[in-house]
Amino acid sequence: MEYVKHHTTQVNGIDIFYREAGKKGKPTLVLLHGYPTSSHMYRNLMQELSDDYYLIAPDYPGFGKSAQPHMADFPYTFASLADIVQGLLDQLGLHRYSLYLMDYGAPVGYRLATAHPERIESLIVQNGCAYDEGLEQFWDPIKAYWTNKNDKVAERTLEGFHSLDGLKWQYTHGVPDVSVISPDNWEQDLRHLQRPGNDRIQLQLFYDYQNNTTLYPQWQEYFRTHNPEMLIVYGKNDYIFPVGGAEAYKKDVKNLEYHLFDAGHFALESHWKEIAATIREYLKRKVTRPSLANA
């Protein structure tokens, strides 16, 4: 088992923190985190897979240990987050990789995949959405905010998502045994969310999420045209991105392997060993050769 290393580098003038594990030249897995967390969510998975794979997990601007540029200086959109991640991968000389897409990581990663389909070895989707079927009741206040950014009732509801109670709920809802979920998770997230100005950044990203939904048809066409290898490892009790969103991939993805776990939104917190074993077995079959382009 390799140690996880922690780095900060500048990408487009912004300090970006990322975790690194394994040896460069082995098959590469890029881990893209969700809201309201950071690369911290991948700490266990990276340890488990580091002997066989080279793993990179960045924090987006305004998340985790990356810098939080002022909103006047950096457009907090999913397109901008994807540009930062692509800049980091280019800086690291990574040109062939699998993507692990969770929550916000899905719209970030699908932008990377559709821009450079030749770089994608496989896609691993964990509670990340590319279909309207995945946007159910949880999304009602977010959709209201899309309709009217001045809707203060919707805004207060969205701010509640990153309150302490809201954070705890996201980690524990749908988890059969909540005692296995460490409270370090929401306490870690709360620290970066309490930085001055971060609340407005999170609201801006909620608002910008509507621009992801307009790209769903493009991403679905990518699935049909490029036939990427895809592994779904989904927490089936997720209220945020419910299992209907996972089922929807079956419409367009031909090379699909599908696994559900008795877990909530952050399935890695309760089932990281099972998910790691599933990923290892899958990648051994699908990505057997070293990522020579990354050596």
Side-chain angles (χ1 to χ4, degrees), residues 130-203:
Y131 291 87
D132 290 335
E133 290 91 327
L135 305 179
E136 295 185 5
Q137 188 173 354
F138 175 86
W139 287 82
D140 289 348
I142 300 175
K143 292 175 181 178
Y145 196 57
W146 295 347
T147 301
N148 178 10
K149 202 173 183 180
N150 296 315
D151 185 334
K152 295 302 180 183
V153 174
E155 183 176 292
R156 284 193 295 273
T157 301
L158 302 188
E159 288 176 331
F161 294 162
H162 45 260
S163 68
L164 183 61
D165 287 343
L167 296 174
K168 182 177 179 180
W169 176 87
Q170 290 180 67
Y171 279 97
T172 58
H173 185 270
V175 179
D177 180 5
V178 298
S179 70
V180 305
I181 309 298
S182 171
D184 294 342
N185 286 296
W186 49 88
E187 292 171 2
Q188 170 96 358
D189 293 348
L190 191 62
R191 280 196 289 273
H192 79 247
L193 291 161
Q194 287 181 329
R195 285 184 283 183
N198 194 275
D199 176 66
R200 302 313 303 179
I201 288 169
Q202 301 304 331
L203 290 172

Side-chain angles (χ1 to χ4, degrees), residues 52-107:
D52 299 315
Y53 303 99
Y54 179 63
L55 302 110
I56 292 291
D59 291 353
Y60 312 136
F63 290 80
K65 299 184 184 303
S66 285
Q68 179 185 297
H70 193 279
M71 292 179 71
D73 301 320
F74 179 79
Y76 284 91
T77 66
F78 287 88
S80 296
L81 300 186
D83 286 344
I84 291 291
V85 174
Q86 187 64 74
L88 174 64
L89 298 181
D90 290 345
Q91 185 181 122
L92 295 174
L94 301 176
H95 305 299
R96 288 283 289 170
Y97 37 77
S98 296
L99 294 176
Y100 190 112
L101 312 177
M102 189 273 170
D103 190 273
Y104 277 10

Side-chain angles (χ1 to χ4, degrees), residues 5-288:
K5 298 178 180 179
H6 307 85
H7 306 283
T8 299
T9 188
Q10 281 215 339
V11 180
N12 299 345
I14 300 170
D15 285 343
I16 298 298
F17 173 87
Y18 67 95
R19 298 169 198 257
E20 176 190 44
K23 294 180 180 177
K24 205 168 185 180
K26 291 188 175 183
T28 299
L29 180 56
V30 179
L31 307 162
L32 301 178
H33 71 78
Y35 163 88
T37 183
S38 65
S39 61
H40 178 260
M41 67 167 283
Y42 291 120
R43 66 203 181 280
N44 295 324
L45 189 67
M46 295 183 79
Q47 288 275 12
E48 188 70 16
L49 296 177
S50 60
D51 284 349
D52 299 315
Y53 303 99
Y54 179 63
L55 302 110
I56 292 291
D59 291 353
Y60 312 136
F63 290 80
K65 299 184 184 303
S66 285
Q68 179 185 297
H70 193 279
M71 292 179 71
D73 301 320
F74 179 79
Y76 284 91
T77 66
F78 287 88
S80 296
L81 300 186
D83 286 344
I84 291 291
V85 174
Q86 187 64 74
L88 174 64
L89 298 181
D90 290 345
Q91 185 181 122
L92 295 174
L94 301 176
H95 305 299
R96 288 283 289 170
Y97 37 77
S98 296
L99 294 176
Y100 190 112
L101 312 177
M102 189 273 170
D103 190 273
Y104 277 10
V108 171
Y110 288 137
R111 282 175 169 82
L112 304 184
T114 53
H116 296 286
E118 75 284 355
R119 299 187 178 187
I120 304 302
E121 293 186 316
S122 69
L123 300 171
I124 301 171
V125 180
Q126 186 243 302
N127 300 80
C129 194
Y131 291 87
D132 290 335
E133 290 91 327
L135 305 179
E136 295 185 5
Q137 188 173 354
F138 175 86
W139 287 82
D140 289 348
I142 300 175
K143 292 175 181 178
Y145 196 57
W146 295 347
T147 301
N148 178 10
K149 202 173 183 180
N150 296 315
D151 185 334
K152 295 302 180 183
V153 174
E155 183 176 292
R156 284 193 295 273
T157 301
L158 302 188
E159 288 176 331
F161 294 162
H162 45 260
S163 68
L164 183 61
D165 287 343
L167 296 174
K168 182 177 179 180
W169 176 87
Q170 290 180 67
Y171 279 97
T172 58
H173 185 270
V175 179
D177 180 5
V178 298
S179 70
V180 305
I181 309 298
S182 171
D184 294 342
N185 286 296
W186 49 88
E187 292 171 2
Q188 170 96 358
D189 293 348
L190 191 62
R191 280 196 289 273
H192 79 247
L193 291 161
Q194 287 181 329
R195 285 184 283 183
N198 194 275
D199 176 66
R200 302 313 303 179
I201 288 169
Q202 301 304 331
L203 290 172
Q204 170 57 30
L205 286 169
F206 284 141
Y207 187 74
D208 187 64
Y209 201 95
Q210 63 189 297
N211 293 316
N212 299 328
T213 67
T214 63
L215 293 177
Y216 283 179
Q218 179 182 329
W219 299 344
Q220 293 157 18
E221 180 60 27
Y222 161 77
F223 300 150
R224 292 189 294 268
T225 301
H226 291 279
N227 299 318
E229 299 285 351
M230 181 180 289
L231 171 67
I232 286 182
V233 285
Y234 222 85
K236 68 178 182 179
N237 308 322
D238 189 3
Y239 184 74
I240 298 172
F241 288 116
V243 75
E247 290 286 331
Y249 284 100
K250 295 178 179 179
K251 296 187 294 184
D252 298 308
V253 181
K254 298 183 182 69
N255 303 319
L256 178 66
E257 292 195 22
Y258 187 88
H259 299 265
L260 298 180
F261 297 87
D262 190 13
H265 185 61
F266 287 103
L268 287 176
E269 292 303 320
S270 58
H271 286 73
W272 64 270
K273 283 185 177 292
E274 296 90 335
I275 291 174
T278 303
I279 291 171
R280 180 181 287 105
E281 192 276 333
Y282 173 80
L283 290 179
K284 280 182 179 178
R285 287 185 287 108
K286 299 297 184 179
V287 186
T288 55

